[in-house]
Amino acid sequence: MYLSRFLSIHALWVTVSSVMQPYPLVWGHYDVCKTQIYTEEGKVWDYMACQPESTDMTKYLKVKLDPPDITCGDPPETFCAMGNPYMCNNECDASTPELAHPPELMFDFEGRHPSTFWQSATWKEYPKPLQVNITLSWSKTIELTDNIVITFESGRPDQMILEKSLDYGRTWQPYQYYATDCLDAFHMDPKSVKDLSQHTVLEIICTEEYSTGYMTNSKIIHFEIKDRFAFFAGPWLRNMASLYGQLDTTKKLRDFFTVTDLRIRLLRPAVGEIFVDELHLARYFYAISDIKVHGRCKCNLHATVCVYDNSKLTCECEHNTTGPDCGKCKKNYQGRPWSPGSYLPIPKGTANTCIPSISSIGTNVCDNELLHCQNGGTCHNNVRCLCPAAYTGILCEKLRCEEAGSCGSDSGQGAPPPGSPALLLLAAVLGTASPLLF
């Protein structure tokens, strides 16, 4: 009786859990770069693909506005309340903290009331276009892992373009177009992400889904990352192996979710009508209360830690790699060409470690665990043994006097006997036919 009740409760819990968790708690985080394991040969390092955790990347960005004087408040001006063009007693004044709306308020903590937000100057120079570029820069390659979300305090713009750069702002490509009328604004047929597929996921679309002016609950604009992931991983992102396989083998797909900079181009404010009300231009402006960008440092699956120091993000590289993105092999570890890690096979992936340039003697010259330096030598950075004065050789296995031909009975130094452990180990490492040749 108790067993059957327990099984019923367990089955109910499994069902409820599956409904309550639309996305898996763990996709294969790849949060460890190496671990020690025991084999028949003893203790060895097991290397695996690894990456930093996804986080809120707005903590690390720099923001730039163009034109630079587009923020309201200098000089002070009044603007109309949203949804009521005749209530124009709100003030923006950059010299008064309570009335200022600087750019950093797009990234501060939300949840306070009244909400904080950045705001542009009003459209007082109509019919000259009111246009603003908001550039978000990381000075580091990042990989997007969740939707980009922009929350407007004003109405959502009638026309907007989200752009990306992969070369630190030198060149730009469109990510998505937004308009109340895509055909009129950008000569594009309107689409949504739901109209895409695995084969068209990289298509740049114009959507009318997020450009509906003053309507209630219409403050948010999305760029849908997870919906695009779902074309490969399924609607609840449960088949991450499929997505990881595509990211591994399709550079264009991998690059699509990778950026160094984002640019929000605000081209026309929310009008809410067919014609601009020239008698109440103070009702037209842009105001953004929050921007969310979730992602991780791109470390090419060679690091789990990304350090923010001196206003700069840098990967703490493993697998004998180096560089801001772990994009090359360290000095003395160029025994084979550098390669990024691989997500597959799940769950550990493939590390593709860089190996020493002296590749004929194995992955490590020494490691103080399996390949020991002999005769009191110490291992330096896995590259060479630091030998005592009387010894030389890759593993400190030879007497220095042997090279000079001065070893003798009166020197106090004798050669190690044939078949000694030092010579046998060296022969095994170097692939020498017989230690008796030394």
Side-chain angles (χ1 to χ4, degrees), residues 209-228:
E209 191 173 352
Y210 302 111
S211 303
T212 51
Y214 292 99
M215 291 177 60
T216 305
N217 299 323
S218 60
K219 292 186 173 184
I220 295 177
I221 283 180
H222 285 263
F223 179 70
E224 304 91 339
I225 297 292
K226 282 190 171 178
D227 285 349
R228 287 170 166 85

Side-chain angles (χ1 to χ4, degrees), residues 248-264:
D248 261 359
T249 57
T250 312
K251 184 178 185 299
K252 287 185 177 180
L253 182 67
R254 190 166 63 246
D255 287 348
F256 185 81
F257 299 111
T258 304
V259 304
T260 59
D261 307 75
L262 291 170
R263 185 163 68 184
I264 303 164

Side-chain angles (χ1 to χ4, degrees), residues 267-317:
L267 302 179
R268 180 180 170 90
V271 173
E273 300 167 350
I274 298 177
F275 302 105
V276 173
D277 182 359
E278 296 186 43
L279 298 178
H280 299 93
L281 293 175
R283 64 182 288 194
Y284 305 121
F285 53 88
Y286 304 107
I288 296 178
S289 61
D290 191 47
I291 297 177
K292 285 284 185 286
V293 182
H294 274 82
R296 63 170 60 90
C297 289
K298 179 181 179 180
C299 301
N300 284 296
L301 296 178
H302 288 310
T304 60
V305 177
C306 192
V307 177
Y308 188 62
D309 187 36
N310 293 324
S311 300
K312 187 177 181 180
L313 286 165
T314 306
C315 300
E316 284 198 346
C317 301

